[in-house]
Amino acid sequence: AWKVKRAALKSVYQTPRSAGRELAYAAFRKREGQSLDDFATWCALAEKHGNDWHRWPVELHHPAGAAVAAFAAKHATAVDFHRWLQWQLDDQLTGVQSTALQSGMALGVMHDLAVGVDPNGADAWALQDVLALGVTVGAPPDEFNQLGQDWSQPPWRPDRLIVGEVRGGEALDLLQAMNT
């Protein structure tokens, strides 16, 4: 099903946007910044090398690497397609939220808040400088699960969440998000 959906989405993506839509897309890209670029680049890399970035060629293991920049430049259309997909998602979720509120739902749509990330996925690849990769968090033993739980999610490294430690000001963004 994804192949058919992807082909349809590619067709829509390749359709020229109106000036207003192009401005809205540019504003979205600016607002989401480096995080969006990293995610879109990871998606394009994953299409070529698989979903586990640890299995990629070593020169592609870090988003700030020269080989990643070269890949993103060479595959600029594929990277932009994935940015555009995120814009479509954001646009549709905004519309759903507006409709829900206008229909009388006090909170509108309630989103799930993930407590962690896949250690092999896009977030762990992009945020590896502030995550304790190779370590996992979970829950201690309790009366419901006497063995405890391993959630296979890398925890944050507080020592790395210092403003300026992550490229593009992402550490500040992370700290601000954690405080809201």
Side-chain angles (χ1 to χ4, degrees), residues 142-164:
D142 59 23
E143 58 191 57
F144 298 106
N145 188 334
Q146 294 179 4
L147 297 176
Q149 299 175 38
D150 179 356
W151 298 337
S152 300
Q153 301 167 344
W156 295 106
R157 287 192 53 176
D159 64 319
R160 294 283 182 93
L161 290 175
I162 298 170
V163 176

Side-chain angles (χ1 to χ4, degrees), residues 63-173:
V68 172
F71 177 91
K74 183 177 179 181
H75 299 90
T77 301
V79 171
D80 192 58
F81 174 66
H82 288 286
R83 277 191 209 101
W84 177 85
L85 287 174
Q86 293 303 301
W87 178 52
Q88 295 306 298
L89 174 67
D90 185 73
D91 197 37
Q92 291 175 19
L93 286 173
T94 299
V96 167
Q97 177 69 355
S98 177
T99 300
L101 292 171
Q102 290 173 6
S103 298
M105 291 178 68
L107 293 176
V109 177
M110 181 69 100
H111 296 280
D112 185 22
L113 177 62
V115 296
V117 301
D118 178 348
N120 302 318
D123 294 313
W125 177 73
L127 299 171
Q128 62 187 275
D129 295 335
V130 294
L131 293 173
L133 299 178
V135 178
T136 63
V137 296
D142 59 23
E143 58 191 57
F144 298 106
N145 188 334
Q146 294 179 4
L147 297 176
Q149 299 175 38
D150 179 356
W151 298 337
S152 300
Q153 301 167 344
W156 295 106
R157 287 192 53 176
D159 64 319
R160 294 283 182 93
L161 290 175
I162 298 170
V163 176
E165 288 291 316
V166 179
R167 64 194 181 97
E170 290 173 3
L172 180 59
D173 295 341

Side-chain angles (χ1 to χ4, degrees), residues 34-44 82 86 122-123 125-126:
Q34 190 64 49
S35 296
L36 176 63
D37 292 342
D38 287 346
F39 179 74
T41 300
W42 182 90
C43 289
H82 288 286
Q86 293 303 301
D123 294 313
W125 177 73

